[in-house]
Amino acid sequence: MTSYQKATLLTDGGVAKARAWKGQVCVVSLSVVLFVVLLISMATGPLDIPVNTVFSLLVSYIGVDQSVSPAVVQVIESIRLPRAVLGLLVGSALAVSGATIQGVFRNPLADPTLIGVSGGAALAAVTVVVFGHTFIAYLPGWLQNYALLIAAFTGGLLVTLLVSHIATSALGMSISTLLLAGIAIGIITMSGVGVMTYLADDTQLRTLTFWQMGSLGGATWGLVVAAATLIIPACLLMMRYATRLNAMLLGEAEAGHLGVNVQLVRRRLIIFSALAVGASVAVSGMIGFVGLVIPHLVRMTIGPDHRYLLPASALAGALFLLVADMVARTLLSPAEIPIGLVTAIIGGPFFIGLIIYRGQHGAF
Amino acid sequence: MSRFLCRQLSVVGLVLSLCGLPIQANEIISEYDTHSQPRRVVSTDGSLTEIVYALGLGAYLVGVDTTSTYPKAVTELPQVGYKRALSVEGVMSLMPDVVLTTDDSGPPIVIEKLQQVGITIQNYSASPDLSVIKDKIIGVANELGVPKKGETLWAKVSSQIESAISRPLPDKPVKVLFVLSFSDRSPMVAGSDTSANMMINLAGGVNAASTLMGYKPISTEALIGLEPDVILMMDGRNPTVSAGMLFSSPGFDQIPASVEKRLITMDGMMLLGLGPRTGLAISQLNQALYPSQSLASVKSERLQ
């Protein structure tokens, strides 16, 4: 055990133990709920598939022979499951990155938009929507369908690198400069999106409006695998830095004295969250609210210890997006609501209610 | 700690009850089998919906998109949403044999998945071109197994178009500006390469904004510079825009059209949809442009 790990544990034994227990309970119960909701979401949709059919299908995977009609199998395996898994990935990516960035900035109002990743991804994606027809035809066939995804991902990553480069001086990266650079670059990318919107024709305009509202409707297994190879490692890497993030909560100098290389940790965490968020935005468009508020909710419940905060945020973000997508798919069926609207419409008032409750009853 | 557990449990309960609602224990899913003739049709374009009705097969429609507004009966049908944001399962839940689409329908991945589950996709061009109407009418009629009816309908529609565009016109055509949306900010107008531009030309007018490409917002000054004699708009979409309001707003009060307050409003789908009502739309627009004309010459061969 290194010195900073000891320090975070030994500050107040009783409180720390109680919180750790709470954190473990929270992670376990969230996992159980998530599994149940995943099953429910398999049985929820415009097409009527009863829960027991889903169970029969699951049992048939284990080897017990069950008669499930091929049409149902196809709906679940090629439409609902990839979409649900994509929702899980995107939800955890956004929530874990949100929690990490809030830790890096030591500010509960921070979210991944501050490091420019969403803005960069949006600008690149919108550029492809508007000007894509001029160059997509020259790309190799397998690339054409993914041009928008790849552009969004690289755009997000490049802008994040630019922001962190601007914020780094000879003395290292300063958080206040990072914040200012992030805000300034955010404004520039958004005006870039505005320029593209102006140049877009009528149909492109509708496409990019819908893209900005987010959707998991494009889910295929190929997309899920692509997203997973970026999101899962990035999230796991962020979780490895949990104790160092805890130390950094004490303050930059204090973390340094505890043996944390603050500059290095900060730079790496920014890159990891840019990878995770960039991949999410590329596959699902802009889904707001999750990155800012889910870590908040979790922190209000189990406290700021990142060892539990990060995994619990991942589970809560996945759960939230899964439920939001069920609403998006079924509420106006057979039509579909963009999921970004659902997350904001459910999430906003819920969060306000929680803040009011907290104000009246004190922290949980 | 017990409060904490209670909260967890209540969240579980809430989530379960919320999600459990739409689940019913009845098995409705049926296999997609290939009918010799489609009986269940989803249309994702207003003009295609109109064609299905004009062929007398409105009863085949089981779902339409938001652009399908005519005839009135379609408003009773299930809505599959905006045609560029279709949902795979939503469309599948209507169990269509065939989905009628245009190049605008999407997203592409949804169309692809619908094809994978065995639903026939009939796609038509969305470009502003009169030949598209024939393709759509004949194509839909063949797909629905009534090629004869399709030929009859096309004969009727094409003769309507012929007679509408062979009407005599005055020497000096009027300059028409199509305003897609009018608000307190820059109005969005139709340049060339739009169906509005095509319809204005077919009705014997001249598009005042033909130097622009596509639909573009323009400034007040540019609007005055275009000097339109007539403003053309879609009705239903902006019910509050009256001629009085329009021609008292800045810019619009200084154009030639404001002198006689010449505002023409037409059904958007009829005017721009390139459906079976296109011929009627041309002659209606033509009559509105030249109400009492001194006929001088006949414009010919405008179909080409």
Side-chain angles (χ1 to χ4, degrees):
Chain A
M1 194 179 275
T2 55
S3 55
Y4 56 84
Q5 281 174 322
K6 266 185 204 155
T8 47
L9 280 178
L10 295 178
T11 39
D12 186 340
V15 174
K17 259 184 204 157
R19 274 193 174 157
W21 192 74
K22 213 173 184 181
Q24 284 155 3
V25 171
C26 186
V27 168
V28 171
S29 45
L30 274 173
S31 316
V32 174
V33 175
L34 187 60
F35 183 72
V36 175
V37 173
L38 183 63
L39 283 188
I40 296 170
S41 89
M42 286 303 99
T44 312
L47 285 167
D48 229 332
I49 300 177
V51 180
N52 51 12
T53 316
V54 177
F55 267 115
S56 321
L57 180 65
L58 278 184
V59 174
S60 75
Y61 287 143
I62 310 169
V64 185
D65 199 32
Q66 294 275 344
S67 59
V68 183
S69 78
V72 171
V73 175
Q74 194 176 19
V75 168
I76 291 181
E77 284 184 356
S78 78
I79 294 172
R80 287 188 187 169
L81 198 55
R83 188 168 174 153
V85 176
L86 195 69
L88 298 183
L89 288 169
V90 169
S92 5
L94 294 176
V96 173
S97 311
T100 306
I101 292 293
Q102 288 171 7
V104 167
F105 279 87
R106 293 174 59 210
N107 186 334
L109 282 179
D111 79 350
T113 51
L114 273 185
I115 54 167
V117 59
S118 327
L123 180 56
V126 167
T127 309
V128 170
V129 169
V130 177
F131 289 114
H133 59 91
T134 56
F135 61 82
I136 278 183
Y138 302 108
L139 298 175
W142 58 270
L143 202 62
Q144 292 187 4
N145 287 332
Y146 295 101
L148 194 141
L149 302 181
I150 295 167
F153 177 70
T154 27
L157 210 57
L158 285 179
V159 171
T160 304
L161 289 175
L162 179 68
V163 169
S164 62
H165 183 74
I166 293 173
T168 312
S169 65
L171 298 171
M173 184 192 284
S174 128
I175 281 297
S176 55
T177 325
L178 187 64
L179 194 67
L180 291 174
I183 291 171
I185 295 285
I187 292 169
I188 294 172
T189 51
M190 280 306 132
S191 55
V193 171
V195 171
M196 289 301 152
T197 311
Y198 176 78
L199 294 173
D201 70 24
D202 201 36
T203 47
Q204 288 166 347
L205 213 55
R206 300 297 294 253
T207 308
L208 54 98
T209 312
F210 272 89
W211 186 83
Q212 285 176 330
M213 290 192 280
S215 168
L216 297 172
T220 57
W221 283 118
L223 205 60
V224 168
V225 171
T229 49
L230 286 164
I231 287 173
I232 292 175
C235 285
L236 291 177
L237 283 169
M238 280 187 263
M239 288 178 196
R240 279 190 61 172
Y241 284 80
T243 44
R244 275 164 275 194
L245 271 172
N246 283 347
M248 280 161 71
L249 280 187
L250 300 172
E252 211 167 302
E254 287 79 354
H257 295 314
L258 288 167
V260 178
N261 184 344
V262 176
Q263 290 297 327
L264 186 76
V265 170
R266 200 177 271 165
R267 237 190 329 270
R268 284 195 180 157
L269 286 175
I270 286 172
I271 298 298
F272 298 151
S273 47
L275 283 172
V277 175
S280 317
V281 175
V283 294
S284 65
M286 306 283 258
I287 300 178
F289 181 82
V290 183
L292 178 63
V293 173
I294 293 296
H296 250 306
L297 289 179
V298 177
R299 201 180 291 112
M300 283 162 91
T301 314
I302 64 169
D305 186 342
H306 284 89
R307 289 171 302 167
Y308 303 109
L309 176 62
L310 295 183
S313 294
L315 294 168
L319 179 64
F320 179 67
L321 217 60
L322 203 56
V323 174
D325 193 43
M326 273 194 265
V327 175
R329 287 187 290 137
T330 49
L331 196 66
L332 288 185
S333 139
E336 192 171 303
I337 316 166
I339 191 171
L341 301 187
V342 180
T343 55
I345 290 169
I346 308 179
F350 177 67
F351 191 54
I352 290 172
L354 209 65
I355 294 169
I356 293 171
Y357 178 87
R358 198 188 181 203
Q360 287 166 352
H361 300 260
F364 308 127
Chain B
M1 207 47 63
S2 63
R3 254 174 71 193
F4 169 70
L5 274 177
C6 283
R7 199 164 51 243
Q8 299 281 337
L9 282 176
S10 66
V11 169
V12 177
L14 182 71
V15 169
L16 282 176
S17 56
L18 273 178
C19 308
L21 285 177
I23 301 167
Q24 276 137 27
N26 53 344
E27 187 120 19
I28 298 186
I29 296 273
S30 69
E31 312 283 326
Y32 285 102
D33 41 21
T34 43
H35 297 277
S36 53
Q37 250 153 53
R39 293 269 180 258
R40 298 180 68 84
V41 180
V42 168
S43 166
T44 65
D45 185 80
S47 67
L48 297 170
T49 307
E50 276 184 45
I51 290 170
V52 176
Y53 270 95
L55 292 168
L57 301 178
Y60 283 12
L61 284 171
V62 292
V64 292
D65 74 324
T66 48
T67 63
S68 301
T69 51
Y70 181 89
K72 260 254 151 60
V74 299
T75 51
E76 312 280 314
L77 290 170
Q79 263 292 336
V80 297
Y82 180 57
K83 65 191 225 174
R84 296 188 72 81
L86 300 173
S87 140
V88 186
E89 242 198 279
V91 174
M92 276 178 75
S93 70
L94 302 169
M95 280 175 252
D97 307 309
V98 59
V99 177
L100 303 174
T101 62
T102 68
D103 292 343
D104 285 344
S105 308
I109 185 78
V110 170
I111 306 289
E112 214 172 276
K113 282 204 169 179
L114 288 175
Q115 269 171 327
Q116 278 169 16
V117 297
I119 297 173
T120 311
I121 304 289
Q122 278 286 311
N123 188 50
Y124 299 97
S125 164
S127 55
D129 191 341
L130 271 186
S131 65
V132 172
I133 304 173
K134 184 181 180 183
D135 295 345
K136 287 197 262 196
I137 291 177
I138 301 294
V140 171
N142 285 343
E143 182 59 31
L144 300 184
V146 286
K148 282 266 166 58
K149 276 189 186 169
E151 270 157 39
T152 321
L153 179 61
W154 168 239
K156 185 179 136 202
V157 171
S158 63
S159 77
Q160 278 173 347
I161 295 174
E162 295 275 352
S163 74
I165 64 174
S166 58
R167 277 168 56 91
L169 295 172
D171 282 330
K172 189 180 168 298
V174 293
K175 278 170 93 175
V176 186
L177 183 67
F178 178 79
V179 178
L180 181 68
S181 63
F182 163 75
S183 59
D184 52 343
R185 295 200 277 173
S186 319
M188 184 87 89
V189 304
S192 52
D193 201 26
T194 59
S195 22
N197 179 68
M198 186 191 83
M199 294 299 282
I200 290 169
N201 289 334
L202 288 173
V206 168
N207 185 3
S210 59
T211 48
L212 299 171
M213 279 293 280
Y215 294 93
K216 283 275 179 295
I218 57 166
S219 68
T220 312
E221 264 186 63
L223 171 69
I224 298 168
L226 294 177
E227 301 182 321
D229 302 312
V230 177
I231 298 294
L232 176 62
M233 290 181 79
M234 294 190 282
D235 58 14
R237 218 175 257 205
N238 297 302
T240 49
V241 174
S242 64
M245 248 181 79
L246 182 72
F247 292 118
S248 59
S249 58
F252 283 97
D253 57 356
Q254 294 183 44
I255 54 176
S258 70
V259 179
E260 290 177 46
K261 298 206 185 311
R262 292 195 68 185
L263 168 68
I264 301 173
T265 58
M266 286 178 71
D267 180 282
M269 203 61 222
M270 173 173 171
L271 181 65
L272 306 178
L274 291 178
R277 288 184 295 163
T278 306
L280 298 179
I282 298 171
S283 68
Q284 192 181 323
L285 179 57
N286 177 284
Q287 269 156 18
L289 290 178
Y290 307 106
S292 55
Q293 60 205 171
S294 49
L295 307 171
S297 64
V298 178
K299 259 196 185 176
S300 58
E301 294 306 307
R302 261 179 292 131
L303 188 50
Q304 276 71 41

